[in-house]
Amino acid sequence: MDKYTEIKKKFSQRENKEKALKMSNYMRDLFTFYGLATPQRREVYKDLLKKEKKSKKVDWPFLDQCYEDEHREFQYLVVDYLAAMQKFLTYDDVPKIKEYIKAKQWWDTIDGFDTIVGDIALVDDRINDLMLEWSKDDDFWIRRIAIDHQLCRKEKTDTKLLEQIIVNNFGSDEFFINKAIGWSLREYSKTNPEWVRDFLNRYRDQMDKLSIREASKYV
């Protein structure tokens, strides 16, 4: 039995239709679910991820099968898989990852892909220029990834890059963009509250109220 079929069988055996309906409703009925809680879902493919890490090679055809599946748990599997294989990802993999980012878009997968893409920059700084490009993309989900790709970097945050990306998104009326701006600043304020406070003082008049509210939580 191939990997995809085996995982699908295990997901099906654990299906909870009542929870699946609630999960679908929570996601505005955009996706179909098996109704598996995160720990239960990850338990299904825990051993698979261990084997994949030993192989040191990303199985893109398998991930394609998973991302094409109608059940949202399979898209979560792809995000978890790529996170587990992070050290084997390169700049050349980004176009492939972008295909997943552009498909079946919603905040739940987008917020998993942001650090996957962002962490490639820790070994290849070409990502920095790419994130500047993405920060001006017509697709606001792509822009959201650019804004949040440095989340949790702490002292390794490139503040010049973060500032430029955020400035590129001023004037947006998109909730998910303004929320992302606030989120990125709030997270970095845990490391450098002075920098965030100064940023807010300089750009307050250009920022959405939601962004300011989120960014100001700890400063």
Side-chain angles (χ1 to χ4, degrees), residues 159-193:
T159 53
K160 183 178 179 180
L161 179 62
L162 177 63
E163 180 173 354
Q164 187 58 60
I165 287 173
I166 290 176
V167 169
N168 285 348
N169 282 274
F170 283 164
S172 174
D173 59 1
E174 172 54 57
F175 169 85
F176 288 107
I177 289 298
N178 292 320
K179 184 79 170 181
I181 290 172
W183 187 16
S184 63
L185 292 171
R186 182 185 67 201
E187 185 62 34
Y188 187 54
S189 74
K190 299 175 186 177
T191 299
N192 192 340

Side-chain angles (χ1 to χ4, degrees), residues 86 110-120 148-151:
Q86 183 74 59
I110 295 298
D111 291 350
F113 284 125
D114 53 18
T115 50
I116 289 171
V117 173
D119 283 356
I120 297 175
D148 285 338
H149 83 278
Q150 294 193 81
L151 284 177

Side-chain angles (χ1 to χ4, degrees), residues 69-128:
D69 193 283
E70 66 174 345
H71 293 88
R72 196 58 166 169
E73 283 86 353
F74 272 104
Q75 282 89 67
Y76 296 156
L77 187 162
V78 171
V79 173
D80 286 343
Y81 182 109
L82 291 173
M85 300 291 280
Q86 183 74 59
K87 66 180 180 179
F88 306 115
L89 297 175
T90 70
Y91 181 84
D92 292 335
D93 293 318
V94 175
K96 184 62 185 177
I97 296 171
K98 190 177 181 181
E99 290 180 17
Y100 300 143
I101 292 169
K102 295 284 290 183
K104 303 180 181 181
Q105 294 172 305
W106 197 238
W107 63 263
D108 52 342
T109 51
I110 295 298
D111 291 350
F113 284 125
D114 53 18
T115 50
I116 289 171
V117 173
D119 283 356
I120 297 175
L122 300 177
V123 294
D124 193 326
D125 61 11
R126 287 180 292 174
I127 290 290
N128 296 341

Side-chain angles (χ1 to χ4, degrees), residues 13-72:
Q13 290 172 340
R14 293 161 176 76
E15 183 176 17
N16 185 316
K17 292 184 178 180
E18 182 178 349
K19 288 184 178 179
L21 182 60
K22 291 180 180 179
M23 293 169 80
S24 181
N25 289 340
Y26 179 67
M27 290 296 173
R28 300 185 182 182
D29 297 317
L30 293 171
F31 311 105
T32 300
F33 286 84
Y34 284 111
L36 306 184
T38 299
Q40 186 183 16
R41 165 173 52 81
R42 287 177 171 164
E43 182 65 27
V44 169
Y45 50 79
K46 178 179 66 176
D47 292 338
L48 168 67
L49 295 188
K50 289 180 180 178
K51 291 179 182 178
E52 295 298 298
K53 283 194 281 187
K54 289 181 180 179
S55 76
K56 301 180 181 181
K57 184 179 180 181
V58 176
D59 187 345
W60 295 108
F62 166 65
L63 295 184
D64 286 347
Q65 280 185 293
C66 292
Y67 223 81
E68 288 169 4
D69 193 283
E70 66 174 345
H71 293 88
R72 196 58 166 169

